[in-house]
Amino acid sequence: MVATKQLSDPTVRAFVEAVNTHDKAAFLALLTPDATMTDDGTERDLADWTDREIFTTRGHIDVVSESDGGRAFVADYRNDTWGSMRTAWRFTVHGDKISRFDTGQA
């Protein structure tokens, strides 16, 4: 496992911290106003997906390995709906904001 505080990209690190502490305000502050995302290759409504998959179901990310300068990682993700699964995440970062993330089963 890679400790959250050791993740290379500071914006992605803040994303993981916000998810793991269930800090929705901090999470939303990291996103550009027009941020988008996919889950298993399908475009999703970001607000609906994050509420359903992260915040109302106590989502948690344990990073297993990172790549692309910290803007991609493989993780064990768990929430109260689906349990635990191996997932891959990729981020598009502009400055200190995330404009897109893609996730899915790894």
Side-chain angles (χ1 to χ4, degrees):
M1 294 290 169
V2 179
T4 302
K5 65 183 178 183
Q6 294 178 332
L7 294 173
S8 300
D9 186 279
T11 304
V12 173
R13 181 183 327 122
F15 178 97
V16 173
E17 289 171 348
V19 169
N20 289 351
T21 60
H22 310 112
D23 188 339
K24 189 173 183 178
F27 178 88
L28 293 174
L30 292 166
L31 303 176
T32 63
D34 60 345
T36 59
M37 59 93 47
T38 64
D39 181 12
D40 284 328
T42 301
E43 292 286 334
R44 303 289 183 184
D45 177 276
L46 192 144
D48 176 65
W49 188 91
T50 57
D51 277 344
R52 187 171 26 85
E53 299 291 337
I54 296 174
F55 295 108
T56 63
T57 57
R58 300 181 329 137
H60 189 89
I61 298 170
D62 288 319
V63 177
V64 174
S65 63
E66 67 173 356
S67 59
D68 193 24
R71 293 192 174 175
F73 59 73
V74 172
D76 289 328
Y77 183 77
R78 68 182 182 275
N79 67 26
D80 290 345
T81 299
W82 304 109
S84 185
M85 67 192 88
R86 183 63 51 105
T87 56
W89 299 72
R90 178 165 296 282
F91 298 85
T92 303
V93 179
H94 297 284
D96 62 353
K97 301 285 185 188
I98 295 168
S99 62
R100 180 177 183 83
F101 68 91
D102 302 286
T103 188
Q105 292 194 36

